[in-house]
Amino acid sequence: MKINKNIVLTSFAVGLLSLAGAANAGLVLDTGSITMGVQDNGGLGFSGVGIALTGGPGDAIMPGCLCEGWGAASDGVGSYTYGNSSSGFASSNFTTTGPADAVSTVVLNSGLTIVHTYSSAAGGSLFGVNVSIFNTSGADVADVRYARTLDWDVGPGHFGDDFTTIYGGTASGPGGNVLHTSFNPFAAPNPMSLRGSYGGVAANTNGTNVTGDLGAYFILGFGNLLAGESVSFDTYIGAAFSTSSLLSAFGSVGIEAYSYTYDDDGDATYGWGFANVGLPPAIDPDPTGIPAPASIALFSLGLAGLGFRLGRKNKQKV
């Protein structure tokens, strides 16, 4: 697991972070190839945009219900945003520094601070999202978790014609920091809540090209954090005009666990993946099969801009 050290993050420092760039309630980010609507709390779906490929068949998240969001937990208590509502959030702030660059900072009632830092990746075919979880509670916390859920609704059929894949990090299912996976996106992403069989696929089981109105649910676990410690990892979301192109982009950034989906009558594939979660890269970035190193994980521009040093090393108390 990747744990940051040498961090002095007080409430004052969090306040400074929120001042970087122009504050917004949300924004539609644009890499030039894909657009993504982000709320100030880091949930997707803003101004009618979830995730869309320029020139593609439409949005992959907005049709049907906005069943998308994330959650974080410690000491057995989860907080989350799902659709247009949230639970356990004390404050949210969203700043931007460019068309594809933004920082969402959320302080939970539990005292955790969650920072999502967005930027363009893989030549604009992906959004890179660095996720940093800071223990700003002033006390040690146990069983820190992060969850992400999303309902894939890809056009033109949206529901019955969609094919969805989940890979949890190993051939048999979840591994590394991935604790739990499910094809069921239809519940709030409380990281303490597990989900059962859905779409004919058991929880914690990989599935390839499973048909139906499905999505993906991932829970990541990072163990205990002492007061002042943090954990950081990377997620990527994007789209391409073929599954092979999307998977190639995933390979280029070192994706370790993922979900992707497409409509059999459409011409685009959409996906979400995780990197730096304690697993080897799941996709060879070199189509010749010659091993190639995974790309360096996206660094948090929001924190870097303020001079924070986030060394990815073993857990250590500040």
Side-chain angles (χ1 to χ4, degrees), residues 168 170 174-179 221 277-279:
T170 74
N177 297 118
V178 182
L179 300 181
V277 290
L279 292 159

Side-chain angles (χ1 to χ4, degrees), residues 110-190:
S110 65
L112 295 181
T113 297
I114 318 298
V115 179
H116 293 80
T117 302
Y118 303 84
S119 64
S120 177
S125 61
L126 302 174
F127 282 100
V129 189
N130 176 264
V131 183
S132 294
I133 303 174
F134 298 92
N135 178 9
T136 51
S137 68
D140 301 348
V141 296
D143 193 12
V144 172
R145 300 185 182 193
Y146 178 92
R148 193 95 208 192
T149 194
L150 69 161
D151 172 27
W152 289 121
D153 288 329
V154 175
H158 298 311
F159 306 123
D161 293 338
D162 284 2
F163 291 79
T164 300
T165 293
I166 287 179
Y167 176 75
T170 74
S172 59
N177 297 118
V178 182
L179 300 181
H180 179 76
T181 65
S182 172
F183 280 83
N184 179 8
F186 300 115
N190 182 340

